[in-house]
Amino acid sequence: MSTKVTPGLGEVPVMVRWPEGVLRRMGKDNQDREIMKHMVDGHFQKALTCALPDTFSLFCQDLPTRPLPGAGRVLVTGASGYIGGRLVPELLARGYPVRAMVRAFSPAYSKHWPNAEIAVADALETESLDRALEGIDTAYYLIHSLLLGPSSFLHADIQAAVNFGKAAEKQGLRRIIYLGGLGDTRSQSPHLKSRMQVAQELSRGRTPVTILRAAIIIGSGSASYEIIRHLVTRLPVLPIPHWAKNRCQPIAIRDVVKYLVGAMETPEATGGAFDIGGPEILTYEGLLRIFALVIRKRVWLFDAPFSHIGFYAYLASLLTPVPASITRALMEGLRDEVVASGDEIRRLIPFKPLTYQEAVIRALSREEQDKVYTRWSDAYPPAYDLALKLHEVQGKPGYTATRSVLSDKPARSLFGSVCCVGGRAGWFRANWMWWLRGAFDRLFFGVGTSRGRRCHSSLEVNDVVDFFRVEDIEPDRRLLLRAEMKLPGKAWLDFAIREEGEKERLSVTAHFFTSSWFGRLYWYAFLPFHHFIFQGLVDQIEKQS
Ligand SMILES: NC(=O)c1ccc[n+]([C@@H]2O[C@H](COP(=O)([O-])OP(=O)(O)OC[C@H]3O[C@@H](n4cnc5c(N)ncnc54)[C@H](OP(=O)(O)O)[C@@H]3O)[C@@H](O)[C@H]2O)c1
């Protein structure tokens, strides 16, 4: 394999050559070979759109450990999160009885994991925690409150760990497996420090804790990957602050999941602490450069004269779907070198982890094929009221505006078009207005529209659609979207299809509930635009059905 020296990065494999080596390593997986062959031939797009069988979605097929007989019932906390959501199907596929712990129930969980038990519990409420841990043998601890923001997440994380440690002891759990972050308690980053403190709190009790520590995780939908992807794809020029020259050891999401499952299936790992990482140690600048090489984009990186983390965090939050509080917490972590110490885990769970490039290609290919299962940006925005539903506020004083169109087309076809809103397809009419609203939202630390959609071909309850989230779906009849942007009230967008004689009436209703004068002002200020935006929206949906 030939290599090229890139300043600040060392030897980078030349794009058209390196996949040959990768091909050899991935000899067992024909689908991977197919992807890589296209890469070698320079057919990048084809490589990304290579059809992958469903089995591809399972990460642990080549794990050297075997399902543990008598492992008992397994609890996955943080099952609604990025890593938990990918761990649950792996454990189910290996035959373990799994209980997935979430804070808010969604029918999507029962659909995705029909064989899993769903427990609704909050680690900050001890009673619900006791119920969730009853009859459990092994628990994965994947709870993280980073979304609460810098002033609250530390306390919440530690309290949750204290409660969990006590509940585990009370319920007589045999093991806890915790995934934390690389770094140490002297870290300058409150986020990394908190990950260490959580490990300490969990370890205080009598339940043995296996601690896995990872640095930056690369996979479709991971926060770090989203930041890198958006920065590289959106900007032609990237300023590199001095802390971006620190080193880290990225690891692919599939390898993280393999270590998590492998740790449970390796009794020697009980009670141990292990650093997990990919095969390379790279600078953050290197991660950006390699990403640009993979997508064949020319990006000019230059040494920035200033390094204020708050500034870069805010800039990144405007350009990526990751909120400013999170980009800041993650960037503060970049001030430390996060490199694995020791490779004991590779002896216990021996497999060859993916390189950073391989992880990036897989992530890109999943996105291209619309097969992203969990995304960090699908998490609820901070301080969001998880329980409030439209039917619960209806009846209270509020505002509505409805626009509709009568159509000859069948309900199924109309509904199919309704379900295409947002993401890559946009909002059919006056897209720039939606974009502008999203940009304002982002400027004021809202979620903005850059979250897009996890899946572009279908929608499920709880899926994010730009600055909305799906609250309800009745096939061929209704799509109810709850607004998550910054608003002086609560808002919903309700698409409905009703029979009217021989025809179907497609309507969209904006619901807005507010108790403040500013809220009322906001509603009336936007009222003139409703006709233009919403009538245009239903007309276009009807046309495209
Ligand atoms: N993702 C990475 O890049 C990365 C890198 C290194 C290490 N890690 C570690 O991996 C672990 C999991 O990370 P992740 O990326 O999967 O996090 P995540 O996507 O933010 O998920 C966090 C989960 O914690 C749940 N949670 C928060 N507060 C809770 C509470 N009080 N009670 C019950 N559940 C609560 C959330 O539930 P809701 O959906 O209800 O909010 C969510 O399911 C963390 O320890 C993290 O430090 C992650």
Side-chain angles (χ1 to χ4, degrees):
M1 186 194 301
S2 75
T3 54
K4 158 179 149 185
V5 176
T6 309
L9 178 61
E11 285 193 331
V12 172
V14 174
M15 186 57 210
V16 290
R17 291 289 179 91
W18 65 261
E20 289 170 15
V22 176
L23 260 175
R24 271 198 302 279
R25 288 186 40 194
M26 292 187 159
K28 278 191 214 146
D29 192 329
N30 287 337
Q31 290 296 330
D32 285 352
R33 287 177 65 90
E34 203 57 28
I35 295 177
M36 297 304 165
K37 262 185 199 148
H38 288 310
M39 299 287 295
V40 174
D41 298 341
H43 299 312
F44 184 67
Q45 208 57 26
K46 260 195 202 165
L48 296 185
T49 51
C50 245
L52 299 179
D54 277 349
T55 48
F56 186 87
S57 53
L58 287 175
F59 295 160
C60 295
Q61 280 167 326
D62 58 345
L63 194 62
T65 58
R66 291 279 155 262
L68 207 59
R73 191 166 292 277
V74 182
L75 179 81
V76 179
T77 65
S80 59
Y82 179 64
I83 293 162
R86 298 197 182 206
L87 177 63
V88 171
E90 298 290 335
L91 294 169
L92 288 171
R94 290 173 91 77
Y96 296 109
V98 176
R99 186 179 294 165
M101 182 175 128
V102 294
R103 281 194 294 180
F105 179 78
S106 155
Y109 298 134
S110 317
K111 187 178 158 205
H112 286 306
W113 314 316
N115 301 326
E117 203 186 318
I118 309 294
V120 177
D122 188 327
L124 298 175
E125 293 166 8
T126 47
E127 257 177 48
S128 66
L129 206 50
D130 280 344
R131 280 196 303 273
L133 265 67
E134 222 177 274
I136 294 295
D137 290 273
T138 301
Y140 282 95
Y141 192 83
L142 301 171
I143 291 175
H144 195 10
S145 315
L146 198 54
L147 273 165
L148 288 180
S151 53
S152 319
F153 82 85
L154 251 170
H155 175 72
D157 269 350
I158 289 170
Q159 192 55 52
V162 169
N163 293 350
F164 197 86
K166 285 184 185 159
E169 205 171 312
K170 191 167 154 193
Q171 299 297 332
L173 261 68
R174 281 197 267 165
R175 271 181 94 179
I176 296 174
I177 299 171
Y178 165 61
L179 175 67
L182 270 176
D184 63 39
T185 39
R186 290 161 305 168
S187 166
Q188 303 172 56
S189 147
H191 167 226
L192 294 184
K193 236 190 241 173
S194 100
R195 302 290 76 210
M196 302 296 128
Q197 288 167 339
V198 164
Q200 285 169 355
E201 290 304 333
L202 289 174
S203 308
R204 271 189 218 287
R206 280 200 298 269
T207 316
V209 184
T210 303
I211 301 164
L212 299 180
R213 310 186 318 152
I216 172 169
I217 296 179
I218 301 296
S220 52
S222 84
S224 313
Y225 168 82
E226 291 282 357
I227 294 175
I228 295 171
R229 179 170 77 85
H230 279 81
L231 291 180
V232 174
T233 50
R234 291 191 168 181
L235 296 177
V237 173
L238 274 168
I240 300 293
H242 72 79
W243 38 261
K245 296 192 184 290
N246 288 339
R247 298 177 315 150
C248 67
Q249 195 166 349
I251 179 166
I253 176 66
R254 66 168 43 221
D255 293 335
V256 172
V257 172
K258 280 159 96 170
Y259 280 128
L260 282 168
V261 175
M264 183 172 74
E265 295 175 352
T266 309
E268 299 101 290
T270 308
F274 309 93
D275 290 357
I276 58 174
E280 307 139 306
I281 295 167
L282 298 163
T283 63
Y284 296 102
E285 179 185 5
L287 302 184
L288 295 166
R289 279 190 196 280
I290 294 175
F291 195 97
L293 275 174
V294 170
I295 63 164
R296 296 174 176 222
K297 183 175 173 210
R298 269 183 205 283
V299 182
W300 185 53
L301 280 74
F302 69 95
D303 290 346
F306 59 97
S307 303
H308 190 268
I309 287 202
F311 168 78
Y312 288 101
Y314 184 60
L315 195 68
S317 79
L318 294 180
L319 295 163
T320 74
V322 184
S325 55
I326 309 301
T327 51
R328 187 174 183 124
L330 295 178
M331 283 185 181
E332 272 166 352
L334 307 190
R335 287 196 289 207
D336 295 325
E337 291 221 328
V338 277
V339 174
S341 57
D343 58 358
E344 175 69 357
I345 195 75
R346 294 211 181 157
R347 187 185 62 76
L348 290 176
I349 309 167
F351 67 86
K352 212 158 193 180
L354 296 184
T355 64
Y356 171 67
Q357 294 101 319
E358 289 162 354
V360 165
I361 291 169
R362 278 175 189 274
L364 286 167
S365 104
R366 279 208 178 261
E367 281 173 5
E368 198 62 32
Q369 293 163 64
D370 219 7
K371 281 189 175 170
V372 178
Y373 296 116
T374 56
R375 292 193 319 168
W376 213 84
S377 50
D378 282 4
Y380 287 96
Y384 195 74
D385 190 343
L386 293 175
L388 196 68
K389 302 272 187 286
L390 176 61
H391 65 85
E392 289 163 355
V393 278
Q394 264 171 347
K396 295 189 181 150
Y399 301 89
T400 59
T402 302
R403 295 288 178 275
S404 68
V405 63
L406 204 56
S407 173
D408 292 326
K409 296 178 178 161
R412 170 162 293 197
S413 159
L414 292 169
F415 190 73
S417 298
V418 167
C419 288
C420 288
V421 290
R424 288 182 207 148
W427 290 85
F428 297 101
R429 175 91 183 268
N431 267 322
W432 65 272
M433 281 196 182
W434 293 90
W435 179 87
L436 197 66
R437 180 65 183 85
F440 269 114
D441 198 49
R442 214 66 179 122
L443 274 176
F444 292 100
F445 303 98
V447 291
T449 50
S450 55
R451 297 187 301 175
R453 286 172 56 149
R454 179 185 60 82
C455 176
H456 295 271
S457 52
S458 63
L459 275 182
E460 288 178 359
V461 171
N462 270 357
D463 271 354
V464 160
V465 177
D466 295 349
F467 38 36
F468 293 100
R469 187 180 298 266
V470 178
E471 180 167 304
D472 191 22
I473 300 184
E474 286 171 37
D476 301 340
R477 288 291 156 217
R478 187 190 199 198
L479 174 68
L480 178 62
L481 301 176
R482 187 175 5 154
E484 291 186 339
M485 70 276 257
K486 293 267 176 201
L487 281 170
K490 302 266 176 216
W492 282 261
L493 205 55
D494 196 353
F495 293 91
I497 300 166
R498 274 182 213 93
E499 275 179 15
E500 219 173 277
E502 303 273 281
K503 300 192 175 191
E504 301 284 347
R505 181 166 292 280
L506 167 68
S507 65
V508 60
T509 304
H511 298 270
F512 186 62
F513 298 87
T514 184
S515 49
S516 71
W517 65 266
F518 182 59
R520 282 177 217 123
L521 194 70
Y522 176 89
W523 173 258
Y524 286 114
F526 276 87
L527 208 51
F529 297 102
H530 283 166
H531 176 75
F532 178 68
I533 297 175
F534 295 141
Q535 191 60 52
L537 178 59
V538 283
D539 288 347
Q540 286 302 317
I541 290 174
E542 200 277 334
K543 241 185 228 166
Q544 294 189 20
S545 300

